[in-house]
Amino acid sequence: MGTFKIEGGIRLKGDVTPQGAKNEALQILCAVLLTPEKVTINNIPDIIDVNKLITLLGNLGVKIQKNGPGSITFQADEVNVGYLETEAFKKEGGSLRGSIMIVGPLLARFGKGYIPKPGGDKIGRRRLDTHFEGFINLGAKFRYEREDHFYGVETQERLKGTYMLLDEASVTGTANIVMAAVLAEGTTTIYNAACEPYLQQLCKMLNSMGAKITGVGSNLLTIEGVESLGGCEHRILPDMIEIGSWIGLAAMTRSEITIKNVSWDNLGVIPNVFRKLGITLERRGDDIYIPSHENGYEIKTDIDGSILTIADAPWPGFTPDLLSIVLVVATQANGDVLIHQKMFESRLFFVDKLIDMGAKIMLCDPHRAVVMGHNFKSQLKSTTMSSPDIRAGISLLIAALSAKGTSTIQNIEQIDRGYERIDERLRALGANIVRV
């Protein structure tokens, strides 16, 4: 396992450009299976989870041509569907959460889609029911091999469009069902659909390939099925989670940083949530400028004076992927905040590591934590810790960069799953971080 050694307490300065969005890339890459024509995707992040999915596509027979940094052309004209039932696929597909989204495109185009129980972050229960109930509604038959944890959907005929009300606004579930429905016969209506910018991007890409999807950006999608899709060129948005991570890093280390080309219009409530923590953000064109917070940052209370609560919610609410960042940033704020993680029950358990560093945090239950900020009057202490998942990992890294002394973070492969060359980019800003 790799390790980061970080000397904390150093102020950083400079410009940083966010990588392409991980969560969009995982959807977009699966969509190349819907057509035999060439699909070129730009701004692909060079991170473990995305690279694993690209390797999986290659093993399925998709032709892959690298055009330059972040740009790849895919052509799925000779897909080997038989690979789905091999032991190699069971091992490979089970190591990546995003692999679940190959099922919809394969089912729509080839009449079958299989997947082992997907891996990913251990952040609590993550249901697959929404995906498979959607496929069943479209006419597929479901099978599950309990011994191997192997899921499958099959159909002898073309999928049939229908109305469905999703039991939850699952982002990956909506994406999977949309990719299956675009080649179905007739019209599919999906209510309680996820509407995140990344899902909007997927729909826009599919429409450019010849799909007929309306209601994009709302929770009611209407999909008129087409016979086939063609090729296209698509550019992935900047990663809003990484943008939020850089905002938190700048505030916590009292650094002056400019985040370039952030696609402000797709950030939703993210800037305002950080402003509620007292963090100053300045919009400069499509960039975010964060000054060095020499006098710290003060948490705002609610209108009636009660403690501020920051909770996650489906889009356009605050993304759960940034709650870990908000929590660690609040440890040095002036004031108190209640962090309410509603969507996952195991995501706050990393706070014991922050408490070891001297943070004042009271974990109320698996979903809620109260953070009492130090207002920089007491610096966090360095320590040795292990990264439990992607977002907790980057939060611990931010804590280490602000702490007094040299910290060690183990299991950094978790961070590499979601953040491209994070140590190199931090060193470019002046950080003292070494990969061992």
Side-chain angles (χ1 to χ4, degrees):
M1 288 186 182
T3 298
F4 282 146
K5 288 198 177 295
I6 306 112
E7 183 187 340
I10 298 173
R11 300 219 183 170
L12 313 180
K13 187 169 184 176
D15 299 348
V16 63
T17 301
Q19 67 191 33
K22 167 184 177 279
N23 291 338
E24 179 185 342
L26 295 176
Q27 298 175 30
I28 296 297
L29 289 170
C30 294
V32 307
L33 292 165
L34 285 165
T35 177
E37 297 185 19
K38 291 183 178 181
V39 176
T40 298
I41 303 175
N42 300 312
N43 202 29
I44 300 173
D46 183 13
I47 54 178
I48 288 178
D49 277 12
V50 169
N51 292 336
K52 276 186 178 180
L53 182 56
I54 293 170
T55 299
L56 174 57
L57 291 172
N59 291 337
L60 271 168
V62 178
K63 299 184 179 92
I64 298 170
Q65 176 188 327
K66 294 187 177 180
N67 308 314
S71 177
I72 301 178
T73 296
F74 300 86
Q75 188 167 15
D77 57 344
E78 295 179 351
V79 175
N80 175 19
V81 184
Y83 178 70
L84 296 173
E85 299 192 68
T86 65
E87 288 301 316
F89 171 70
K90 289 181 180 180
K91 183 177 180 181
E92 185 180 18
S95 68
L96 174 67
R97 180 80 190 172
S99 60
I100 182 66
M101 285 181 287
I102 68 171
V103 177
L106 290 170
L107 175 66
R109 190 168 161 217
F110 301 103
K112 60 176 68 174
Y114 308 123
I115 195 71
K117 186 176 181 179
D121 288 330
K122 306 304 179 189
I123 55 176
R125 186 166 181 253
R126 304 172 80 180
R127 302 167 69 248
L128 297 176
D129 302 52
T130 305
H131 300 250
F132 290 106
E133 286 173 4
F135 299 144
I136 292 166
N137 285 334
L138 291 169
K141 292 184 177 178
F142 173 72
R143 68 182 175 96
Y144 174 52
E145 297 174 13
R146 188 172 297 275
E147 282 189 15
D148 294 337
H149 294 291
F150 199 61
Y151 303 85
V153 278
E154 299 168 341
T155 180
Q156 300 297 319
E157 304 173 347
R158 188 178 173 192
L159 297 173
K160 300 286 194 297
T162 186
Y163 169 85
M164 62 183 85
L165 173 61
L166 302 189
D167 61 344
E168 62 176 348
S170 164
V171 178
T172 55
T174 303
N176 228 345
I177 296 165
V178 166
M179 287 188 280
V182 289
L183 293 180
E185 180 183 344
T187 300
T188 300
T189 304
I190 306 173
Y191 195 27
N192 195 29
C195 54
E196 270 77 357
Y198 305 143
L199 199 283
Q200 297 176 38
Q201 285 282 97
L202 173 66
C203 292
K204 290 172 184 175
M205 172 182 165
L206 293 171
N207 281 344
S208 74
M209 296 167 71
K212 296 179 179 178
I213 307 170
T214 56
V216 178
S218 75
N219 68 347
L220 180 62
L221 295 174
T222 303
I223 304 156
E224 185 182 335
V226 296
E227 292 285 343
S228 62
L229 296 178
C232 73
E233 184 166 355
H234 177 82
R235 183 172 181 83
I236 293 172
L237 286 174
D239 194 316
M240 70 169 79
I241 313 303
E242 196 193 56
I243 292 165
S245 304
W246 289 116
I247 294 171
L249 167 74
M252 188 77 168
T253 59
R254 292 198 274 190
S255 302
E256 183 183 357
I257 292 176
T258 299
I259 311 169
K260 308 289 288 184
N261 303 320
V262 300
S263 188
W264 263 92
D265 294 340
N266 288 295
L267 293 180
V269 300
I270 290 172
N272 282 339
V273 169
F274 282 103
R275 286 180 177 128
K276 286 181 180 180
L277 293 175
I279 296 169
T280 300
L281 306 177
E282 185 179 322
R283 181 170 185 169
R284 295 183 174 180
D286 206 28
D287 302 342
I288 294 175
Y289 170 73
I290 304 132
S292 58
H293 287 71
E294 297 293 340
N295 299 316
Y297 42 94
E298 184 172 354
I299 295 174
K300 295 176 172 58
T301 59
D302 285 343
I303 291 173
D304 63 358
S306 58
I307 185 173
L308 175 68
T309 299
I310 297 179
D312 58 339
W315 189 269
F318 189 62
T319 172
D321 282 346
L322 280 176
L323 272 189
S324 301
I325 310 294
V326 165
L327 188 149
V328 74
V329 172
T331 64
Q332 287 295 0
N334 180 9
D336 306 331
V337 61
L338 172 63
I339 305 295
H340 193 168
Q341 171 64 268
K342 297 178 180 178
M343 297 172 70
F344 300 102
E345 68 267 19
S346 302
R347 215 165 198 169
L348 297 181
F349 289 156
F350 78 102
V351 302
D352 60 333
K353 300 172 178 65
L354 296 174
I355 293 169
D356 288 344
M357 299 176 77
K360 289 183 180 178
I361 303 171
M362 183 171 63
L363 187 62
C364 308
D365 54 44
H367 291 277
R368 295 176 302 160
V370 176
V371 185
M372 293 148 277
H374 284 310
N375 194 22
F376 291 102
K377 291 176 181 175
S378 175
Q379 198 173 359
L380 297 182
K381 302 184 299 287
S382 60
T383 188
T384 297
M385 45 199 162
S386 180
S387 172
D389 63 71
I390 299 174
R391 308 309 174 189
I394 199 70
S395 301
L396 295 174
L397 178 55
I398 291 171
L401 286 162
S402 74
K404 183 178 182 180
T406 301
S407 295
T408 300
I409 301 180
Q410 300 163 345
N411 195 29
I412 60 172
E413 287 78 8
Q414 288 287 357
I415 300 173
D416 289 336
R417 285 178 48 216
Y419 291 84
E420 181 179 313
R421 299 178 290 104
I422 187 67
D423 50 330
E424 293 178 30
R425 296 158 79 200
L426 284 168
R427 281 194 293 271
L429 294 173
N432 187 346
I433 176 171
V434 178
R435 182 185 294 262
V436 181

